[in-house]
Amino acid sequence: MGDRISPDQVGEEGNMLTTDLLIIGAGPAGASLACFLASHGKKGLLLASAPGTSPTPRAHITNLAGLETLRDIGLEEQCLSLATPSTNMKHTRWCRSLAGEEYARVYSWGHDPIYKGAYEAASPCKHVDLPQTLLEPVLVRKATEGGWGVRFSTRLLKVKQLDEGVEVEVRDEILKRGYKIRCRYLFGCDGARSQVVREVGLPLIKKPGQGLALNVLVRADLTHLMEPHRVGNLHWVFKPEEGIDGREAPAWGWAAIVRMVKPWTEWMFIFLAKPGMDLKGEEMEATEEEYLARVKEVIGDESVEAELVHASKWWINEVVAERYQEGDVFCLGDAVHRHPPFNGLGSNTCLQDAFNLAWKVSYVLDGRASPGLLDSYSLERQPVGVDIITRANDGLRDHIPWQQTLGMHSPDPAERAKILAEFESASPEGRKRRREFQKGIERTTTEFHGLGIEMNQNYSHSPAVYLDDETGPGPAVPEDKVRTHVVTTYPGRRLPHVWVNTRIPAKNMTSTIDLAGHGKFCLLTGFGGGRWKEAAKSVGEKLGLQINSYSIGWHQDYEDVYFDWAKKREVEEDGCVLVRPDRFVAWRAKEMVEDAEGKLEEVLRRILGRPREA
């Protein structure tokens, strides 16, 4: 690949910079990928066309699965110190204004007593509100500490696939000059308008969009309104009587979702257009005075001073790529799955795309796996992308029934007045209206209690798991796939979280999640499973892998203090569960086998694409 130049060097125009790994885009997907690769000891170059990290807090919900990836590389505590704790995410509300009448509220993000236990049992992590403006600098700093070169204000121009590797042309927008970079692998993390996706021609599956929305970022101290009785990070604000009372809402500001950015002084007002109005971009624009006037109406307290920080519009998309890989180019994040922010799945899916890919790239570069392992990235993650873009858009569509119950979609003011009058009536019609409104609100709770869509990724169809020893079809699909977390050690599923401890209890218990991961395979066994641990050591030495192995149970490395591992492991005490570096189960043995070493070697060779030499 020519003379190697340090990733932090930029040559004169026409010179060739070479690096094994080149990432385009420094948002949650690109910056986290650099961090995860750095945790494997891999360095490269991270480029972004933007002048710096995100100036606006677009993504914000960090869920259990997303935070677990950051926990793996030691960033959880730093992120928690910056994030708003889950206690401030307790409710989602529906109200006439932030200061005014409240129509409904629901528990959200694991606070509902019905679902709270399931959230606590699913992960050692908790939901937090971590705006993109705070997450991205943490990731970029971590990447640079790991040896990555970072260049902002650098635009991608062209991508050319070679027999081995990729050559790109970029332009430094500060120096006003272009240069070329040759890399072994190129990663397109450049967002919803991805140039990389266009250059390599990844086909996109597009469903009809749901129009435009408007983000208005505002500084306003609403502490007196929120504490203690309106605590929540999402507030739907609407006035059903608008248009009936002679006052029309602006076309771009029919309803608002008010999102806490910083408690309780910074807010994102997400304005939605009137239903059925196919507004063009310019029709979503207004003056600063008009934006602030509508913001103050939504707040509903004339004493509050509001400062407009930023306004921008965005398309409500439902788009996913048919595949995430083309040759030596891999795309991830919003480049390949584009959707509205409902269920808070966006940045979390970006982090998990990167976490899935990083260990595979590292193992291939080190010769510990064949390049074929990389094919499993798209096979595993593309179906996840289909699920999350569908769920996010369903989350928006789930709000339509309560709006229709209030008559908010009717263009006829007289009909809407009649509907609102029914709500105040003791008649059968009024009873039905109120009951339907309650059902409509309850329908939306899949947005705020989506443990299933967050945690149930299923890679059992992938060649990077081993199913030969499975005799059944795998765990049953739950009736409520969005809410219900499937806890299983079936190959291709997420390793269950269980608290374990030493025989003489340590101050802090350890999660099985923390025994696994950290760039290594992990084998978990129990009483009578000593030969599995011996096999892990010998096979690891033979294949050049570090396989961490632990025994959980009576007088073992770790005690199963609540007996939760015995309930969740789905194998006998002397069986084993082999976990991939991304904490997904690779294979399991129901019980001890005669040739433990031979079996484990067979499994790992299959997963890593390293057949025995003839």
Side-chain angles (χ1 to χ4, degrees), residues 460 462-470 490-492 578 585-588 599 602-604 606-607:
S460 59
S462 168
V465 301
Y466 187 100
L467 290 176
D468 290 15
D469 298 329
E470 296 299 322
Y490 192 82
L578 181 68
V585 176
W587 162 75
R588 62 184 180 178
K599 184 64 185 182
E602 174 193 339
V603 169
L604 283 165
R606 171 88 66 82
I607 290 169

Side-chain angles (χ1 to χ4, degrees), residues 57-93:
R58 288 167 291 178
H60 65 115
I61 297 293
T62 304
N63 65 28
L64 314 181
L67 198 53
E68 282 182 11
T69 68
L70 302 177
R71 181 185 181 100
D72 189 77
I73 57 172
L75 283 181
E76 182 186 25
E77 289 303 318
Q78 186 176 358
C79 289
L80 291 178
S81 71
L82 296 171
T84 296
S86 63
T87 51
N88 286 346
M89 304 162 64
K90 188 173 183 179
H91 296 115
T92 296
R93 302 171 59 240

Side-chain angles (χ1 to χ4, degrees), residues 40 72 355 359 363 516-521 579-583:
H40 291 273
D72 189 77
F355 197 58
W359 77 269
Y363 273 54
H518 311 294
K520 304 173 183 67
F521 279 85
V579 188
R580 304 189 324 188
D582 60 354
R583 302 197 184 105

Side-chain angles (χ1 to χ4, degrees), residues 107 109-121 442 445-446 448-451 480 483-484:
Y107 289 109
W109 314 117
H111 286 92
D112 191 322
I114 296 174
Y115 301 110
K116 191 172 184 179
Y119 277 81
E120 291 177 350
E442 289 172 348
T445 58
T446 49
F448 316 113
H449 302 297
L451 192 57
D480 189 338
R483 288 187 177 92
T484 306

Side-chain angles (χ1 to χ4, degrees), residues 39-167:
S39 74
H40 291 273
K42 300 295 177 283
K43 301 176 183 179
L45 193 58
L46 176 64
L47 306 182
S49 60
T53 55
S54 177
T56 58
R58 288 167 291 178
H60 65 115
I61 297 293
T62 304
N63 65 28
L64 314 181
L67 198 53
E68 282 182 11
T69 68
L70 302 177
R71 181 185 181 100
D72 189 77
I73 57 172
L75 283 181
E76 182 186 25
E77 289 303 318
Q78 186 176 358
C79 289
L80 291 178
S81 71
L82 296 171
T84 296
S86 63
T87 51
N88 286 346
M89 304 162 64
K90 188 173 183 179
H91 296 115
T92 296
R93 302 171 59 240
W94 287 259
C95 51
R96 191 174 181 278
S97 70
L98 293 177
E101 298 175 358
E102 182 177 297
Y103 302 115
R105 71 169 65 187
V106 297
Y107 289 109
S108 52
W109 314 117
H111 286 92
D112 191 322
I114 296 174
Y115 301 110
K116 191 172 184 179
Y119 277 81
E120 291 177 350
S123 173
C125 302
K126 295 182 181 297
H127 279 80
V128 294
D129 194 307
L130 181 61
Q132 194 168 339
T133 44
L134 301 179
L135 175 61
E136 285 187 11
V138 169
L139 296 174
V140 171
R141 187 180 307 114
K142 181 75 170 179
T144 58
E145 291 171 355
W148 278 73
V150 179
R151 292 289 178 269
F152 289 104
S153 299
T154 303
R155 183 163 56 92
L156 175 70
L157 301 177
K158 293 182 180 179
V159 174
K160 179 182 178 182
Q161 298 246 29
L162 308 174
D163 291 339
E164 181 179 298
V166 185
E167 183 178 294

Side-chain angles (χ1 to χ4, degrees), residues 210-214 271-273 279-281 284 313-316:
Q210 300 189 64
L212 277 167
L214 178 69
F271 287 108
L272 303 176
L279 298 184
K280 308 302 179 185
M284 293 293 285
K313 52 187 178 291
W314 52 277
W315 289 101
I316 303 173

Side-chain angles (χ1 to χ4, degrees), residues 552-564:
I552 301 173
W554 183 265
H555 266 166
Q556 302 301 296
D557 300 325
Y558 289 94
E559 297 288 327
D560 187 9
V561 289
Y562 299 116
F563 304 114
D564 285 337

